[in-house]
C-alpha cells in the first residue's frame, strides 16, 4: 500500500495523527503484506499500542499486549509524584501494574530503587514481566506481595481502575471495546478499589511512606476522604499540562503527625 493510501485509510478511520501513525506502522511492519494487516487492524479501531506492540511512556518503549491496559501519558505525573517522595534506595510497589509501565519508569529513572509490581489479571502480570525484570506477582492487591514487604514499602503507586461503572459506556470505543473491564471499572463511584487499597496500605507502608493514586478531578475530594478514613494524611497534586490529578496519602503514626510534608 503506498504511503498516501495508508494515511488516507487511517484518516478515514478517524485517526487524528494519521501521518505519525502511518510512519510508526511502516517502521513496525516486516513487509508489505504485514503493513497491510497492521493498517487494517488500526483502521478497524484497535488501539495503536496493541498494533505496534508497545507504548511510549516517559521515554521508554513499554511492551503492551492486547487485552492489557494501555498506559496513559497523564500517568507520567503519578510517576513524577512517586519519584518526588521516594527516598534513596527506597522500595516501590507498582500495585495494579497492568503492563508495568509505571514501575518500569521508576526503575529506569531511579536505578537505586527496588521495584515490585503486581496485578490480578494473569495477562497483565505476564506482560509486566516483559517490562520489569523479576519481582512481578499475580494476585489480589497487597495479597500478591511477599509477606516480608509488610511495613517496609516506601512508595505504593496504585493506578487502580477508577471509572465509575455507569461511565464505562461513554468511554471512547478504543478503551471500552479493547481494554478489559477489570482495568477500568471502579464500581458505582469509581473509588471501590482505591478504598480497599487505602484500607490495606497502612500495614504495608514504612513509617512516613506514601500511597499515590491517579484519579479524576471530580473524584479528588472523595478519593482524599477515602485515604483519610484509612488513617493516611491525604493531599492532592495536579498537573494542568497532562490533565492529571494524583491523590496521595502519607503513613502517619499518630494524629499530631497528620500534616503533609
Ligand atoms: C487502570 S489499569 C492501570 C495499569 C497500569 N498501572 C498503568 O497505569 O498503565 C488498572 C489495573 O488494575 C488491575 N486490577 C484490577 N483489580 C485488581 C485487583 N483487585 N488486584 C490487582 N490488580 C487489579 C487491572 O488488571 C489493571 O491492569
Amino acid at each position: 500500500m503506498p504511503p498516501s493510501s495508508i494515511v488516507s485509510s487511517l484518516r478515514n478511520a478517524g485517526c487524528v495523527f494519521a501521518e505519525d501513525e502511518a510512519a510508526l506502522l511502516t517502521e513496525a511492519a516486516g513487509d508489505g503484506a504485514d503493513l497491510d494487516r497492521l493498517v487494517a487492524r488500526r483502521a478497524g479501531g484497535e488501539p495503536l499500542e496493541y498494533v505496534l506492540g508497545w507504548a511510549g511512556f516517559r521515554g521508554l518503549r513499554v511492551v503492551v499486549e492486547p487485552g492489557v491496559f494501555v498506559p496513559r501519558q497523564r500517568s507520567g505525573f503519578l510517576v513524577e509524584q512517586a519519584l518526588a517522595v521516594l527516598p534513596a534506595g527506597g522500595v516501590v510497589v507498582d500495585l495494579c501494574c497492568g503492563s508495568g509501565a509505571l514501575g518500569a519508569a521508576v526503575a529506569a529513572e531511579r536505578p537505586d530503587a527496588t521495584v515490585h509490581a503486581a496485578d490480578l489479571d494473569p495477562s497483565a502480570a505476564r506482560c509486566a514481566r516483559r517490562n520489569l525484570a523479576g519481582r512481578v506477582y499475580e494476585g489480589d492487591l497487597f495479597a500478591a506481595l511477599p509477606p516480608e514487604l509488610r511495613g517496609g514499602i516506601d512508595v505504593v503507586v496504585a493506578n487502580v481502575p477508577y471509572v465509575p461503572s455507569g461511565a464505562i459506556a461513554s468511554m471512547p470505543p478504543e478503551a471500552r471495546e479493547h481494554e478489559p473491564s477489570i482495568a477500568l471499572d471502579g464500581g458505582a463511584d469509581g473509588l471501590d478499589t482505591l478504598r480497599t487499597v487505602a484500607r490495606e496500605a497502612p500495614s504495608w507502608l514504612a513509617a512516613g511512606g506514601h500511597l499515590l493514586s491517579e484519579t479524576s478531578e471530580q473524584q479528588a475530594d472523595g478519593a482524599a476522604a477515602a485515604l483519610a478514613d484509612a488513617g493516611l494524611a491525604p493531599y492532592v497534586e495536579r498537573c494542568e499540562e497532562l490533565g492529571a490529578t494524583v491523590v496521595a496519602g502519607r503513613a502517619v503514626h499518630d494524629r499530631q503527625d497528620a500534616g503533609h510534608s
Side-chain angles (χ1 to χ4, degrees):
M1 195 188 291
S4 59
S5 311
I6 299 173
V7 172
S8 317
S9 300
L10 296 173
R11 190 166 293 130
N12 292 339
C15 300
V16 179
F17 302 106
E19 279 90 359
D20 295 345
E21 294 199 9
L24 288 167
L25 293 171
T26 304
E27 180 201 308
D31 56 29
D34 197 18
L35 180 56
D36 289 351
R37 273 192 297 274
L38 298 186
V39 172
R41 283 175 63 190
R42 179 61 184 136
E46 247 188 276
L48 176 68
E49 294 81 357
Y50 287 173
V51 180
L52 294 174
W54 57 269
F57 187 72
R58 286 185 73 87
L60 299 177
R61 279 194 176 189
V62 175
V63 174
V64 183
E65 295 173 3
V68 175
F69 185 83
V70 176
R72 309 300 203 253
Q73 294 308 310
R74 67 170 170 271
S75 303
F77 184 60
L78 183 52
V79 172
E80 264 173 42
Q81 294 303 306
L83 295 174
V85 294
L86 180 62
V91 174
V92 180
V93 170
D94 179 359
L95 205 62
C96 295
C97 67
S99 66
L102 310 188
V106 171
E109 294 175 51
R110 285 287 299 275
D112 59 296
T114 303
V115 180
H116 301 258
D119 202 287
L120 181 58
D121 180 353
S123 309
R126 193 179 54 238
C127 183
R129 282 188 192 105
R130 297 179 64 190
N131 291 310
L132 275 165
R135 301 197 194 95
V136 178
Y137 317 102
E138 186 185 315
D140 189 11
L141 300 179
F142 288 99
L145 301 178
E148 56 272 21
L149 286 183
R150 194 181 277 276
I153 302 171
D154 296 297
V155 176
V156 173
V157 178
N159 190 16
V160 300
Y162 64 84
V163 182
S165 306
I168 303 268
S170 48
M171 291 185 80
E174 277 187 30
R176 83 179 129 77
E177 289 174 11
H178 294 275
E179 293 179 313
S181 70
I182 187 181
L184 305 174
D185 194 339
D189 66 353
L191 298 176
D192 282 1
T193 311
L194 180 63
R195 273 189 282 269
T196 307
V197 170
R199 260 196 313 272
E200 296 177 10
S203 70
W204 288 87
L205 287 171
H210 289 73
L211 164 65
L212 299 104
S213 190
E214 189 173 290
T215 189
S216 71
E217 189 48 39
Q218 296 81 343
Q219 292 166 311
D221 288 347
L227 269 54
D229 287 348
L232 297 163
Y235 58 99
V236 177
E237 302 284 358
R238 297 176 171 88
C239 173
E240 215 170 295
E241 192 189 338
L242 290 172
T245 304
V246 164
V247 62
R250 190 167 58 88
V252 292
H253 288 299
D254 55 47
R255 290 280 157 200
Q256 285 175 334
D257 198 20
H260 167 52
S261 61

